[in-house]
Amino acid sequence: MSNAPISKDAPKKPFLTDVKTLRQRARQNMSDGLITKTYGGDVDKAIEILQSVLATEIVCVLRYTMHAVTATGISSEGVKAEFADHAREEQAHAMSVAERIDQLGGKPNFNPEGMATRSASQYAEGENLIDMIKENLIAERIAVDHYRELIRYFGDDDPATRVMLEGILVVEEEHATDMHDLLIAHEGTPPLKD
Ligand SMILES: [Fe+2]
Ligand SMILES: [Fe+2]
């Protein structure tokens, strides 16, 4: 790289570390695993947040699975299939989040004890098909709000976690729309009020 002085009037560009420094830093931090001193945020806080996201996803797997198995009534077959699809997608989210916790140097918490307390969404059984759809819609809305906030929280401090959450958010928004459409189809009334 050139050592020529930069004019005060030069446009501001993001600072780029030179290759030699990057290499040196990587060698020095070898024992730190993925997360090195260059991690922008608070790693412990990030892990704590992701433990809650993991619990949220697991509770969603359990709720959708329970609904997929127990839903009954006229034209419940299509709804059961939709619940089962969502359960599989929530399972994939749980895996991604657990992997990320591991990468950050944490131990993903799969302990059933306290799971419902760590989770943002609730495990609600629902008395009938409509109740189930409503409970899932509520849970999806909670997840969407929660993940939007977390995406802003991670920002540029942890782009990898942010991008993972953005991917999950897209699917949660689809889930919310699916549940909303099912509610209209089966209840024929306007959607849930906020
Ligand atoms: Fe999910
Ligand atoms: Fe979802």
Side-chain angles (χ1 to χ4, degrees), residues 93-113:
H93 295 166
M95 281 300 287
S96 305
V97 174
E99 298 278 5
R100 186 62 189 153
I101 292 170
D102 180 64
Q103 287 170 354
L104 290 169
K107 191 161 91 177
N109 190 353
F110 282 92
N111 192 336
E113 216 166 280

Side-chain angles (χ1 to χ4, degrees), residues 71-92:
T72 52
I74 298 168
S75 61
S76 65
E77 283 309 310
V79 182
K80 285 162 85 90
E82 189 94 46
F83 288 162
D85 278 353
H86 284 202
R88 274 189 292 276
E89 284 167 345
E90 309 297 13
Q91 166 76 28

Side-chain angles (χ1 to χ4, degrees), residues 57 60 63-64 86-87 89-90 93 136 139-140 143-144 147 168 171-176:
E57 294 295 343
C60 287
R63 194 189 56 255
Y64 272 123
H86 284 202
E89 284 167 345
E90 309 297 13
H93 295 166
N136 289 317
E140 295 295 353
V144 164
Y147 295 167
I168 295 177
V171 178
E172 306 304 7
E173 291 195 3
E174 285 170 10
H175 287 174

Side-chain angles (χ1 to χ4, degrees), residues 136-149:
N136 289 317
L137 177 54
I138 291 165
E140 295 295 353
R141 284 182 174 178
I142 291 170
V144 164
D145 285 349
H146 189 38
Y147 295 167
R148 280 184 188 153
E149 256 181 32

Side-chain angles (χ1 to χ4, degrees), residues 35-43 46 100 104 153-159:
I35 297 312
T36 66
K37 292 178 183 67
T38 59
Y39 184 82
D42 176 339
V43 181
R100 186 62 189 153
L104 290 169
Y153 171 83
F154 283 106
D156 290 337
D157 287 343
D158 184 346

